[in-house]
Amino acid sequence: MACATASLSLHCSPSAPSFLGRAARRRGVRLGHALVTPSAAAPRPRLRPSTSTRAASTGATRLQPATWLLQAAAGWAGPSQLDELVGLLVPREALLRARYASAMGPRVAWFMGQALYATSTFYEVDVGAVSGVVAAALLQDTSVEGGLRLLGLDVAPTRNARGDSLEEEERKQVGEFWRVNLTALVEVLQSDLRNIEAGIYPIPYDLRLSYAQQWDPRSVLDISSKYMQDQELVVERRRQGQASQARELLSQEDLAGRDYPAYYVRNFHYQSDGWLSMASAHLYDYQVETLFLGVADAMRRQGLVPLATAVKELQTHRKDSDGNPSIKLLDVASGTGRFLSFLLQAHPEIDATALDLSKFYLQKAKEQCREHTGKGGKLALVEANAEDMPFEDCSFELITNVYLFHELPTEAQRNTAREFGRVLMPGGTAVVIDSIQEGDVMFGERMLKAFPEFNHEPYYEAYTKTDLGELFKQAAGLELVETSTHWLTKVMVFKKPEDPSRTPSAGDVDVCNDTNMASTA
């Protein structure tokens, strides 16, 4: 990922994979270490980082000289050994902040570069400078504006892809849009870091240097190569408006006998194979991180905050026969299990069930959660439709769900919400993490309108106008008790009343009987 600190104004690198060069020529773009931008003619290769990139790197190093050394130490020493090693020299808070900032700065820069290539942006963006500003803001717990002042930078685009200076009005509009979104992005990371510092959940396992999928250059370049190759197909499907390729897979032997809803068998995001192959499952997390510029995981993890509160409450009165805390959680539409892996890292004692319609994504979830299972709790995998879950009434104290409802038509939303209410115990908590909606943030309207067409999200526009609080109240008898927004993601917390008869829609929801309660408590 070191190459991600190169400026997005760099041109063709001799070491770039040949297929990227071919793609660049076909699409009329200039290829840099981390990006491609549209261009009429490619000048001679220029491989030096820009002045602002060098300033960002130098400034970040001045702010915290031990940052990169501590991050390296974290790679070869376990948390306890590392604490012993540097605890006498560096306060724990500073160590934690240094590890997080030195990981997230390059991460944002890397995925921002990938995203700019994938979307063929019309502006030059210096991701090296962005990396420095993000790291500075995290290290100093300051705003993006504060980070810019510390480093003496302005990372807003000032030129188009041809290198021409932007007109004053366009520069003002682009700059404002860029700064507002970068500020919101950094605030998500700062919230993530504060949650870690407060002990709400541990520092994510994928920030360890030993986590090869993020830090081993071979692993990173392999997944990046596959992502870029798939992007050629994505771009072509987007150009043609074609999102039915996934249906061709239904005739395969390993999918025989499966009855998928019609809305499910399509190429959401124009991604190859939809949800119906291991290749898709392996690429998905990388695609989502690229879409959200490296902060998708951090946005998801905001759902762990209300979950931690619910778990703490349950641990005081939910005990198994041996007197140990016994908590049953259902992760609906678990996908690759990415969110579930962070959840189990924080709460390994939970008995979790991952439900998804894709057997391929469930297999990926099993792999992703392997490190965090068998530490007190258990993990069960269930291939089923969220509209008709194969569980008894009142089977779970907790339900989690990430990025599902914006991909469901209205009737499927209602059916799924009703199932939430049916399988959740009285007093239970459901944490729903999904896209922002109309009116959630002042800067989001433009993106909300462009997102569904660009990424093939046929139910997204209707979702943005849906009152989810009312939906869950009427269909499931659940009460919306908390809502928070985190850049492009919102977290909603629903509670099932201890006495379902208190809710207006109680007649629509199955009431848990004493037998079910006894078998699941």
Side-chain angles (χ1 to χ4, degrees), residues 347-358:
H347 304 284
E349 75 282 2
I350 284 179
D351 288 339
T353 298
L355 179 143
D356 201 272
L357 254 179
S358 172

Side-chain angles (χ1 to χ4, degrees), residues 112 116 125-126 130 154-157 173-183 293:
M112 186 175 290
L116 291 172
V125 178
D126 189 337
V130 171
D154 185 352
V155 296
Q173 293 178 355
V174 171
E176 178 62 18
F177 182 79
W178 179 257
R179 276 187 288 272
V180 166
N181 280 277
L182 183 60
T183 296
L293 308 183

Side-chain angles (χ1 to χ4, degrees), residues 54-332:
R54 293 197 300 274
S57 300
T58 302
T61 302
R62 275 201 309 269
L63 288 169
Q64 177 51 273
T67 295
W68 304 104
L69 176 62
L70 294 175
Q71 177 67 6
W76 58 262
S80 60
Q81 293 96 324
L82 184 60
D83 287 343
E84 294 175 6
L85 183 66
V86 299
L88 296 177
L89 301 176
V90 183
R92 179 185 179 279
E93 293 77 9
L95 171 63
L96 187 61
R97 187 168 289 271
R99 288 181 63 191
Y100 187 88
S102 61
M104 283 303 183
R107 179 189 177 107
V108 169
W110 174 264
F111 283 110
M112 186 175 290
Q114 301 284 279
L116 291 172
Y117 167 74
T119 57
S120 295
T121 181
F122 290 94
Y123 302 103
E124 290 185 352
V125 178
D126 189 337
V127 293
V130 171
S131 176
V133 169
V134 169
L138 290 169
L139 283 167
Q140 299 296 304
D141 195 20
T142 186
S143 64
V144 166
E145 294 298 329
L148 292 171
R149 287 194 296 271
L150 282 169
L151 300 180
L153 297 175
D154 185 352
V155 296
T158 59
R159 297 178 180 276
N160 61 24
R162 295 185 301 274
D164 302 327
S165 296
L166 301 180
E167 296 291 337
E168 182 177 351
E169 185 60 27
E170 182 180 13
R171 179 173 179 173
K172 181 179 179 181
Q173 293 178 355
V174 171
E176 178 62 18
F177 182 79
W178 179 257
R179 276 187 288 272
V180 166
N181 280 277
L182 183 60
T183 296
L185 180 155
V186 168
E187 287 175 350
V188 170
L189 297 179
Q190 290 174 327
S191 177
D192 195 35
L193 177 55
R194 291 182 190 121
N195 294 337
I196 295 168
E197 291 176 327
I200 296 173
Y201 47 83
I203 191 165
Y205 61 87
D206 65 337
L207 298 192
R208 300 194 306 259
L209 282 178
S210 58
Y211 188 74
Q213 290 170 268
Q214 177 156 308
W215 300 107
D216 183 338
R218 292 169 300 180
S219 297
V220 173
L221 291 176
D222 178 64
I223 190 70
S224 175
S225 171
K226 291 174 181 175
Y227 167 77
M228 291 300 187
Q229 291 179 42
D230 188 60
Q231 277 302 300
E232 294 191 50
L233 302 176
V234 168
V235 168
E236 184 60 21
R237 289 192 195 98
R238 183 179 294 123
R239 186 183 69 81
Q240 296 182 2
Q242 196 276 343
S244 59
Q245 175 264 341
R247 297 174 191 165
E248 302 170 7
L249 304 177
L250 293 178
S251 60
Q252 294 183 3
E253 184 177 345
D254 57 356
L255 292 179
R258 284 171 169 80
D259 184 20
Y260 296 119
Y263 66 79
Y264 182 78
V265 188
R266 63 176 66 245
N267 298 79
F268 283 100
H269 321 140
Y270 292 110
Q271 67 189 40
S272 296
D273 302 344
W275 315 116
L276 302 180
S277 75
M278 281 307 302
S280 169
H282 283 305
L283 274 180
Y284 178 76
D285 289 329
Y286 194 90
Q287 291 169 326
V288 174
E289 281 300 324
T290 300
L291 177 65
F292 293 119
L293 308 183
V295 300
D297 283 343
M299 288 193 294
R300 289 187 186 107
R301 283 194 293 267
Q302 302 311 303
L304 295 178
V305 178
L307 191 72
T309 300
V311 168
K312 187 174 181 180
E313 292 174 354
L314 287 168
Q315 285 175 333
T316 63
H317 62 273
R318 292 287 187 186
K319 308 286 184 180
D320 61 19
S321 58
D322 296 323
N324 299 315
S326 177
I327 301 173
K328 292 181 173 62
L329 175 143
L330 173 64
D331 189 37
V332 179

Side-chain angles (χ1 to χ4, degrees), residues 424-445:
L424 189 63
M425 290 184 185
T429 301
V431 178
V432 177
I433 304 166
D434 217 306
S435 166
I436 55 173
Q437 298 177 284
E438 284 188 357
D440 282 336
V441 290
M442 60 179 293
F443 58 83
E445 302 303 317

Side-chain angles (χ1 to χ4, degrees), residues 292-412:
F292 293 119
L293 308 183
V295 300
D297 283 343
M299 288 193 294
R300 289 187 186 107
R301 283 194 293 267
Q302 302 311 303
L304 295 178
V305 178
L307 191 72
T309 300
V311 168
K312 187 174 181 180
E313 292 174 354
L314 287 168
Q315 285 175 333
T316 63
H317 62 273
R318 292 287 187 186
K319 308 286 184 180
D320 61 19
S321 58
D322 296 323
N324 299 315
S326 177
I327 301 173
K328 292 181 173 62
L329 175 143
L330 173 64
D331 189 37
V332 179
S334 195
T336 65
R338 186 69 176 175
F339 174 75
L340 186 57
S341 70
F342 294 119
L343 188 159
L344 292 176
Q345 182 193 13
H347 304 284
E349 75 282 2
I350 284 179
D351 288 339
T353 298
L355 179 143
D356 201 272
L357 254 179
S358 172
K359 73 171 192 174
F360 305 105
Y361 277 66
L362 281 174
Q363 178 59 37
K364 180 65 177 177
K366 181 180 180 181
E367 297 172 6
Q368 194 136 241
C369 294
R370 182 177 292 123
E371 179 184 345
H372 312 293
T373 55
K375 299 179 179 180
K378 294 173 290 187
L379 175 62
L381 305 174
V382 177
E383 183 183 351
N385 190 338
E387 294 184 72
D388 185 19
M389 301 185 203
F391 308 117
E392 296 290 334
D393 298 351
C394 307
S395 295
F396 303 94
E397 289 101 339
L398 299 171
I399 293 178
T400 53
N401 173 243
V402 181
Y403 298 149
L404 170 64
F405 278 81
H406 75 271
E407 294 188 343
L408 297 177
T410 301
E411 186 62 25

